[in-house]
Amino acid sequence: MSHYYLGIDLGGTVTKAGIYTPEGQEWVVTEQALPLLSPQRGFCERDMTGLWEATCQVIRRALAESKIDAGQIKGVSFSAHGKGLYLVDKQGRAVRNGIVSSDSRAQALVSRWQEEGKDRQAYGYSLQQLWPSHPAALLHWLKEHEPESYAQTGYVLMVHDYIRYCLTGAFTSEETNISGSNLFNQQQGAIDPTLLAIFGIEEVADKTPAIIGSADCAGYVTTAAAQLSGLKAGTPVFGGMFDVVGAALTSGVQDASKLSAVAGTWSIATRVFERIMPAEYPYVWGKYSIPGSYFVHEGSPTSASNLAWFVQQFLPNLPDSYATMNQWAQQGYQKSEDILFFPWLYGSNFKANVNGGFLGLCGHHGVEDMVYAIYQGIVFSHLLHQDRILALSAGAQSIRFTGGPTHSRVWMQMFCDASNLPLEIVDVRQSGCRAAALCASVGAGEFSGFSTAMEASQAPIVRLEPDAAKHRVLRQRFDRFKRVATALSAVE
């Protein structure tokens, strides 16, 4: 009888479940949005019981739609959003709502820490920049503002740690995600009491579960979880991974020769090394799923969500909108227009005090010119991340790209030309679910490791080559983009 693996993708707003063959062939993917709760400005939460119920529902639907018997599922694993905080007491009951990665309630605290130099003090241990949704920042915020929640905490979990507990009854912490928490020492590979002291949260030292690898077995589906989810009791459940790592795995990235790039709500650039590379710039590092490897990445909400906003506000009734906009972008790519768009409607990866907008609009411009400027601006904002990642070392030979914009050939060509590297589009529907299922297949022993699994399951690739003339033009415009952004950031 054929057997399969279940991958669960726990995003910031949508939960998905996919069933795959050991080699990564997709049979079905189901999804369900979970309402985000924002009781105050900057708060971005979700009901943890509702999250578990939504996870059970997508699993049940995946099994029903695929007509696969639960006994044929030989393993379960996860791809999960980073940062955020999911607290339970010693009995595993939610202490409060879960907090997702887009939460910014701790921004004032982080700014205070930066003024005090805590970011520099902690960086040598954690190799993380400070972020308001880091578990370290959220824990200190709760200590100050919700001391009763802080005191009730039995275990500090990230999102897939919580769902893994719901399935197995075992408390564990997965390495690729906890390594981005500002609680974790990258060199020691463990939660660091020094970091807890720097951030004033020493009390959680005994509330962090044992750390496991992506493909380590965390436990088995309990009878109670089987009744709720439709899975078979005793099905093994494996660690999983941070979704940034999942995108790189789906793209077949296992060393520094290939860069993983993601465009969607967030713009993300990721590279994998066998050691942490020394550099003055405070790069963000974490443990990769391949034992002994590290990933370095940068990301910001500066990608296609900006285009989605423009469509919603100004082109809500445009027929076949994305096909039409791709045509406009193709026409704009042949022009020499100097309109600049800064894709910082939801945050900036240049300076915190700059916002989105157009520069250079004239009376002869039309909506099609503005759309091209948005495409170009999103490419430029991605380059801010990508150029820094590439600067860590020579030897990058290509870029592997996933995300919604991969469906626009002109947009991908713009990314390719601006980067001046071959760009390989990874043809995969759901990179998170697929990577999670691949993780389960490695954990179950289908492959000797992630490297072997990636080689055996590589999704189809479409390769684009850069145009040297276009590269020069785009880089000249990118230089202007940065100069204008620098000038704007100087305005209080």
Side-chain angles (χ1 to χ4, degrees), residues 305-317 345-346:
S305 52
N306 287 265
L307 181 63
W309 168 86
F310 188 83
V311 173
Q312 181 180 2
Q313 297 298 324
F314 303 107
L315 301 171
N317 300 314
L345 300 176
Y346 304 101

Side-chain angles (χ1 to χ4, degrees), residues 283-341:
Y283 287 93
V284 176
W285 291 87
K287 291 280 193 176
Y288 199 52
S289 290
I290 299 175
S293 295
Y294 298 86
F295 71 99
V296 59
H297 79 291
E298 287 204 5
S300 60
T302 59
S303 192
S305 52
N306 287 265
L307 181 63
W309 168 86
F310 188 83
V311 173
Q312 181 180 2
Q313 297 298 324
F314 303 107
L315 301 171
N317 300 314
L318 180 67
D320 200 8
S321 58
Y322 285 98
T324 300
M325 289 190 299
N326 285 334
Q327 183 179 359
W328 290 344
Q330 184 68 58
Q331 293 167 354
Y333 202 29
Q334 310 308 318
K335 299 179 182 179
S336 57
E337 295 290 357
D338 290 329
I339 303 174
L340 292 178
F341 175 73

Side-chain angles (χ1 to χ4, degrees), residues 135-290:
L138 291 170
L139 284 165
H140 189 99
W141 189 95
L142 291 171
K143 183 178 179 179
E144 287 187 353
H145 298 276
E146 292 184 19
E148 67 286 351
S149 297
Y150 188 77
Q152 291 172 21
T153 298
Y155 293 97
V156 174
L157 306 176
M158 302 185 83
V159 63
H160 60 333
D161 300 331
Y162 170 65
I163 297 299
R164 198 184 317 108
Y165 158 73
C166 292
L167 282 169
T168 66
F171 292 107
T172 51
S173 183
E174 188 274 315
E175 187 176 48
T176 68
N177 218 347
I178 198 66
S179 66
S181 64
N182 245 325
L183 307 173
F184 182 92
N185 186 306
Q186 300 293 346
Q187 287 82 9
Q188 296 176 1
I191 302 298
D192 193 337
T194 302
L195 286 167
L196 303 185
I198 289 171
F199 296 124
I201 50 173
E202 298 92 334
E203 299 85 358
V204 303
D206 62 346
K207 299 175 182 179
T208 54
I211 296 173
I212 62 173
S214 293
D216 289 344
C217 184
Y220 302 86
V221 174
T222 65
T223 300
Q227 292 173 346
L228 292 170
S229 67
L231 291 168
K232 183 178 179 181
T235 303
V237 180
F238 302 94
M241 67 199 74
F242 179 21
D243 56 12
V244 168
V245 171
L249 287 174
T250 294
S251 297
V253 173
Q254 52 183 302
D255 57 39
S257 66
K258 293 182 177 65
L259 186 83
S260 171
V262 180
T265 301
W266 281 61
S267 169
I268 302 170
T270 308
R271 205 171 174 194
V272 176
F273 292 92
E274 292 182 352
R275 62 186 179 90
I276 294 169
M277 306 293 287
E280 292 185 9
Y281 177 78
Y283 287 93
V284 176
W285 291 87
K287 291 280 193 176
Y288 199 52
S289 290
I290 299 175

